[in-house]
Amino acid sequence: MAENLCPQCGAPLAPGATECKYCGEAVAPAQVQPQPQYQQQGAYGQPGQPVQVFVQTGDNNGIDPSWPVKSKITAGILAILLGGLGIHKFYLGKTGMGILYLLFCWTYIPGIVGLVEGIMYLCSNDHNFQVKNHVRLQ
C-alpha cells in the first residue's frame, strides 16, 4: 500500500485523501507527493561498490594500546601523600594540571582535592580508571 505525504507537515496520507488528518491542510491531488522509495544499498556506498566496515571486537573496550602504562595504586598513594603538590598529575601525564596544583599549593585546596582524588583512584574499577586517565594498567 503506497502512502503519500502531506506537503505541510509531512505526515502520511491515505490514498485519495483531500485533507491531512493531523494538520488539517487541504490537499489537492496535484499537491500530494509520493513517499520516496529507498533501494537497498551498502553501508556507505553506491550499490555494487565494495564497502569497508570496521567492527570493534571488544578486545580493548575503549582502551587505546598506545596509552602509557601506569599503576593505579601508585597514582592513588601519590595523590593522598603528595596531592597538594600535584605529583599524581605529573605521574599520570597531565602536566598542565600538575603545574596548576603547584601554583595553588599554598592555599591547601590542592591538598584536599588530591586526598579526594587519591581515594577515588583507589576505589574506582580498573576500566574506569584507565579510560578516564588515558592510561593502561600494569
Short mmCIF file of all heavy atoms in Angstrom, two decimals, residues 69-101:
data_model
loop_
_atom_site.label_atom_id
_atom_site.label_comp_id
_atom_site.label_asym_id
_atom_site.label_seq_id
_atom_site.Cartn_x
_atom_site.Cartn_y
_atom_site.Cartn_z
N VAL A 69 51.68 2.95 30.22
CA VAL A 69 51.35 2.00 31.28
C VAL A 69 51.66 2.66 32.62
O VAL A 69 52.78 3.11 32.85
CB VAL A 69 52.17 0.70 31.11
CG1 VAL A 69 51.90 -0.24 32.26
CG2 VAL A 69 51.83 0.05 29.79
N LYS A 70 50.66 2.74 33.49
CA LYS A 70 50.80 3.33 34.81
C LYS A 70 50.16 2.42 35.83
O LYS A 70 49.37 1.54 35.50
CB LYS A 70 50.13 4.72 34.87
CG LYS A 70 50.66 5.72 33.88
CD LYS A 70 52.06 6.14 34.23
CE LYS A 70 52.56 7.15 33.20
NZ LYS A 70 53.90 7.60 33.47
N SER A 71 50.42 2.67 37.11
CA SER A 71 49.85 1.89 38.19
C SER A 71 48.78 2.71 38.90
O SER A 71 49.02 3.87 39.28
CB SER A 71 50.94 1.49 39.19
OG SER A 71 50.36 0.94 40.34
N LYS A 72 47.62 2.11 39.09
CA LYS A 72 46.52 2.79 39.77
C LYS A 72 46.87 3.01 41.25
O LYS A 72 46.57 4.07 41.81
CB LYS A 72 45.25 1.95 39.63
CG LYS A 72 44.05 2.55 40.30
CD LYS A 72 42.79 1.77 39.99
CE LYS A 72 42.59 0.66 40.96
NZ LYS A 72 41.25 0.06 40.90
N ILE A 73 47.53 2.06 41.86
CA ILE A 73 47.87 2.16 43.29
C ILE A 73 48.92 3.25 43.51
O ILE A 73 48.81 4.04 44.44
CB ILE A 73 48.34 0.79 43.82
CG1 ILE A 73 47.18 -0.16 43.67
CG2 ILE A 73 48.89 0.90 45.22
CD1 ILE A 73 47.23 -1.45 44.35
N THR A 74 49.89 3.32 42.61
CA THR A 74 50.91 4.37 42.72
C THR A 74 50.27 5.74 42.58
O THR A 74 50.58 6.66 43.34
CB THR A 74 52.00 4.17 41.65
OG1 THR A 74 52.56 2.88 41.79
CG2 THR A 74 53.07 5.22 41.76
N ALA A 75 49.37 5.89 41.61
CA ALA A 75 48.69 7.18 41.42
C ALA A 75 47.87 7.54 42.65
O ALA A 75 47.86 8.70 43.09
CB ALA A 75 47.81 7.12 40.18
N GLY A 76 47.19 6.57 43.24
CA GLY A 76 46.37 6.84 44.43
C GLY A 76 47.20 7.24 45.63
O GLY A 76 46.87 8.19 46.35
N ILE A 77 48.32 6.56 45.86
CA ILE A 77 49.18 6.87 47.01
C ILE A 77 49.86 8.22 46.81
O ILE A 77 49.96 9.00 47.75
CB ILE A 77 50.20 5.74 47.21
CG1 ILE A 77 49.43 4.49 47.49
CG2 ILE A 77 51.24 6.12 48.24
CD1 ILE A 77 49.87 3.53 48.47
N LEU A 78 50.29 8.51 45.58
CA LEU A 78 50.88 9.83 45.32
C LEU A 78 49.86 10.93 45.53
O LEU A 78 50.19 12.00 46.05
CB LEU A 78 51.43 9.89 43.89
CG LEU A 78 52.74 9.16 43.62
CD1 LEU A 78 53.06 9.19 42.13
CD2 LEU A 78 53.87 9.78 44.43
N ALA A 79 48.62 10.68 45.15
CA ALA A 79 47.58 11.70 45.33
C ALA A 79 47.29 11.93 46.80
O ALA A 79 47.08 13.08 47.22
CB ALA A 79 46.31 11.27 44.59
N ILE A 80 47.28 10.87 47.59
CA ILE A 80 46.99 11.04 49.02
C ILE A 80 48.16 11.72 49.74
O ILE A 80 47.95 12.65 50.53
CB ILE A 80 46.67 9.67 49.65
CG1 ILE A 80 45.31 9.18 49.13
CG2 ILE A 80 46.64 9.76 51.18
CD1 ILE A 80 44.96 7.76 49.51
N LEU A 81 49.38 11.29 49.47
CA LEU A 81 50.53 11.80 50.20
C LEU A 81 51.05 13.13 49.66
O LEU A 81 51.42 14.02 50.43
CB LEU A 81 51.65 10.77 50.21
CG LEU A 81 51.33 9.43 50.89
CD1 LEU A 81 52.50 8.49 50.79
CD2 LEU A 81 50.93 9.67 52.34
N LEU A 82 51.14 13.26 48.33
CA LEU A 82 51.74 14.45 47.71
C LEU A 82 50.76 15.17 46.78
O LEU A 82 51.18 15.87 45.85
CB LEU A 82 53.01 14.06 46.95
CG LEU A 82 54.11 13.42 47.79
CD1 LEU A 82 55.20 12.86 46.91
CD2 LEU A 82 54.67 14.43 48.78
N GLY A 83 49.47 15.00 47.02
CA GLY A 83 48.47 15.59 46.15
C GLY A 83 48.47 17.10 46.16
O GLY A 83 48.10 17.73 45.17
N GLY A 84 48.89 17.70 47.25
CA GLY A 84 48.94 19.16 47.32
C GLY A 84 49.94 19.76 46.36
O GLY A 84 49.82 20.92 45.96
N LEU A 85 50.94 18.98 45.97
CA LEU A 85 51.94 19.46 45.00
C LEU A 85 51.63 19.00 43.58
O LEU A 85 52.33 19.37 42.64
CB LEU A 85 53.33 18.97 45.41
CG LEU A 85 53.82 19.45 46.78
CD1 LEU A 85 55.14 18.79 47.11
CD2 LEU A 85 53.94 20.95 46.79
N GLY A 86 50.63 18.16 43.41
CA GLY A 86 50.22 17.72 42.09
C GLY A 86 51.09 16.63 41.51
O GLY A 86 51.07 16.41 40.28
N ILE A 87 51.84 15.94 42.34
CA ILE A 87 52.75 14.91 41.85
C ILE A 87 51.99 13.81 41.11
O ILE A 87 52.46 13.28 40.10
CB ILE A 87 53.57 14.31 43.01
CG1 ILE A 87 54.34 15.41 43.75
CG2 ILE A 87 54.51 13.22 42.53
CD1 ILE A 87 55.31 16.19 42.88
N HIS A 88 50.79 13.47 41.60
CA HIS A 88 49.99 12.43 40.94
C HIS A 88 49.58 12.84 39.54
O HIS A 88 49.47 12.01 38.64
CB HIS A 88 48.77 12.07 41.79
CG HIS A 88 47.79 13.17 41.99
ND1 HIS A 88 48.07 14.31 42.72
CD2 HIS A 88 46.53 13.32 41.53
CE1 HIS A 88 47.02 15.11 42.72
NE2 HIS A 88 46.06 14.53 42.01
N LYS A 89 49.36 14.13 39.32
CA LYS A 89 49.00 14.60 37.98
C LYS A 89 50.20 14.50 37.03
O LYS A 89 50.05 14.12 35.87
CB LYS A 89 48.50 16.06 38.03
CG LYS A 89 47.19 16.22 38.77
CD LYS A 89 46.07 15.54 38.03
CE LYS A 89 44.75 15.79 38.70
NZ LYS A 89 43.63 15.15 38.01
N PHE A 90 51.38 14.84 37.53
CA PHE A 90 52.58 14.68 36.71
C PHE A 90 52.79 13.19 36.38
O PHE A 90 53.16 12.85 35.26
CB PHE A 90 53.82 15.23 37.42
CG PHE A 90 53.86 16.73 37.48
CD1 PHE A 90 53.72 17.39 38.69
CD2 PHE A 90 54.05 17.49 36.33
CE1 PHE A 90 53.77 18.77 38.75
CE2 PHE A 90 54.10 18.87 36.38
CZ PHE A 90 53.95 19.51 37.60
N TYR A 91 52.56 12.31 37.35
CA TYR A 91 52.72 10.87 37.14
C TYR A 91 51.78 10.36 36.06
O TYR A 91 52.16 9.53 35.23
CB TYR A 91 52.49 10.12 38.45
CG TYR A 91 52.52 8.62 38.30
CD1 TYR A 91 53.72 7.96 38.11
CD2 TYR A 91 51.36 7.87 38.35
CE1 TYR A 91 53.77 6.58 37.96
CE2 TYR A 91 51.39 6.49 38.21
CZ TYR A 91 52.59 5.85 38.01
OH TYR A 91 52.63 4.50 37.86
N LEU A 92 50.53 10.87 36.04
CA LEU A 92 49.55 10.42 35.06
C LEU A 92 49.71 11.11 33.71
O LEU A 92 48.96 10.84 32.78
CB LEU A 92 48.13 10.63 35.59
CG LEU A 92 47.75 9.73 36.76
CD1 LEU A 92 46.39 10.14 37.32
CD2 LEU A 92 47.74 8.28 36.33
N GLY A 93 50.65 12.04 33.58
CA GLY A 93 50.92 12.69 32.31
C GLY A 93 50.10 13.95 32.08
O GLY A 93 50.08 14.48 30.97
N LYS A 94 49.45 14.45 33.12
CA LYS A 94 48.65 15.68 33.00
C LYS A 94 49.48 16.84 33.55
O LYS A 94 49.25 17.35 34.65
CB LYS A 94 47.33 15.52 33.75
CG LYS A 94 46.47 14.41 33.17
CD LYS A 94 45.19 14.27 33.92
CE LYS A 94 44.34 13.17 33.31
NZ LYS A 94 43.07 13.01 33.99
N THR A 95 50.44 17.28 32.76
CA THR A 95 51.41 18.28 33.20
C THR A 95 50.76 19.61 33.52
O THR A 95 51.12 20.26 34.50
CB THR A 95 52.50 18.46 32.12
OG1 THR A 95 52.99 17.17 31.76
CG2 THR A 95 53.63 19.32 32.62
N GLY A 96 49.81 20.03 32.71
CA GLY A 96 49.14 21.31 32.94
C GLY A 96 48.42 21.34 34.28
O GLY A 96 48.51 22.33 35.03
N MET A 97 47.72 20.28 34.61
CA MET A 97 47.04 20.21 35.91
C MET A 97 48.07 20.14 37.04
O MET A 97 47.85 20.71 38.11
CB MET A 97 46.11 19.00 35.96
CG MET A 97 44.86 19.15 35.14
SD MET A 97 43.81 20.52 35.66
CE MET A 97 43.29 19.95 37.26
N GLY A 98 49.19 19.46 36.83
CA GLY A 98 50.23 19.40 37.85
C GLY A 98 50.80 20.77 38.16
O GLY A 98 51.02 21.12 39.32
N ILE A 99 51.02 21.57 37.13
CA ILE A 99 51.52 22.94 37.33
C ILE A 99 50.48 23.77 38.06
O ILE A 99 50.82 24.57 38.95
CB ILE A 99 51.91 23.56 35.97
CG1 ILE A 99 53.13 22.84 35.40
CG2 ILE A 99 52.17 25.05 36.10
CD1 ILE A 99 53.49 23.22 33.99
N LEU A 100 49.21 23.58 37.73
CA LEU A 100 48.14 24.32 38.41
C LEU A 100 48.10 23.96 39.89
O LEU A 100 47.94 24.84 40.75
CB LEU A 100 46.80 24.00 37.73
CG LEU A 100 45.63 24.87 38.12
CD1 LEU A 100 45.84 26.29 37.64
CD2 LEU A 100 44.35 24.31 37.51
N TYR A 101 48.27 22.70 40.21
CA TYR A 101 48.31 22.27 41.61
C TYR A 101 49.52 22.91 42.31
O TYR A 101 49.42 23.34 43.46
CB TYR A 101 48.41 20.76 41.72
CG TYR A 101 47.08 20.03 41.65
CD1 TYR A 101 46.22 20.18 40.58
CD2 TYR A 101 46.71 19.16 42.66
CE1 TYR A 101 45.02 19.51 40.52
CE2 TYR A 101 45.51 18.47 42.61
CZ TYR A 101 44.67 18.65 41.54
OH TYR A 101 43.49 17.98 41.48
#
